[in-house]
Amino acid sequence: VQLQASGGGLVQAGGSLRLSCAAPGRTFSTYAMGWFRQAPGKEREFVAAISRGGVGTLYVDFVKGRFTISRDNAKNTVYLQMNSLKPEDTAVYYCAAGLIGATTEFYDYWGQGTLVTVSS
């Protein structure tokens, strides 16, 4: 499964971005999808995940109420809507496909990452 993340960029604190992750092919709907992020000098951390059908979601506490994960299986795409962005949200964001979970071990396939920079 090849994953292509996009949508990152530079935004001011309080602003919004929507990340997308496309997975061409017929198997997209068979995978749960997750978003992780990695800031410079830090380990990769879980952000959000969504079940294969899109009904179940998981969020890390520090993004609850600000970020929303969704998916469109007809378009083979998962999204991460990020609102009320903070400078500490600055990181490379990665999408991943696998089983729904909050650690990297649940995921078998990873995208290349997209950089999000939030200025204060």
Side-chain angles (χ1 to χ4, degrees), residues 77-99:
T77 302
V78 62
Y79 305 97
L80 185 67
Q81 178 67 43
M82 305 186 295
N83 299 328
S84 302
L85 282 162
K86 305 175 182 180
E88 51 264 43
D89 294 319
T90 295
V92 177
Y93 283 71
Y94 298 89
C95 59
L99 300 175

Side-chain angles (χ1 to χ4, degrees), residues 44-58:
R44 192 169 299 190
E45 62 181 359
F46 172 74
V47 175
I50 189 166
S51 62
R52 292 175 295 177
V55 174
T57 57
L58 291 174

Side-chain angles (χ1 to χ4, degrees), residues 36 97-108 110:
F36 289 73
L99 300 175
I100 192 167
T103 62
T104 58
E105 290 78 12
F106 284 90
Y107 299 89
D108 298 315
W110 294 84

Side-chain angles (χ1 to χ4, degrees), residues 18-119:
R18 189 177 79 157
L19 306 183
S20 299
C21 177
R26 300 181 178 181
T27 62
F28 177 76
S29 63
T30 66
Y31 294 98
M33 299 296 296
W35 286 98
F36 289 73
R37 70 186 188 186
Q38 189 166 16
K42 296 187 177 181
E43 293 186 352
R44 192 169 299 190
E45 62 181 359
F46 172 74
V47 175
I50 189 166
S51 62
R52 292 175 295 177
V55 174
T57 57
L58 291 174
Y59 294 95
V60 68
D61 284 347
F62 56 74
V63 304
K64 286 180 179 178
R66 299 191 299 125
F67 292 9
T68 302
I69 189 171
S70 62
R71 67 190 295 163
D72 185 338
N73 285 346
K75 296 182 178 179
N76 289 354
T77 302
V78 62
Y79 305 97
L80 185 67
Q81 178 67 43
M82 305 186 295
N83 299 328
S84 302
L85 282 162
K86 305 175 182 180
E88 51 264 43
D89 294 319
T90 295
V92 177
Y93 283 71
Y94 298 89
C95 59
L99 300 175
I100 192 167
T103 62
T104 58
E105 290 78 12
F106 284 90
Y107 299 89
D108 298 315
Y109 305 99
W110 294 84
Q112 83 284 6
T114 185
L115 176 62
V116 172
T117 303
V118 184
S119 64

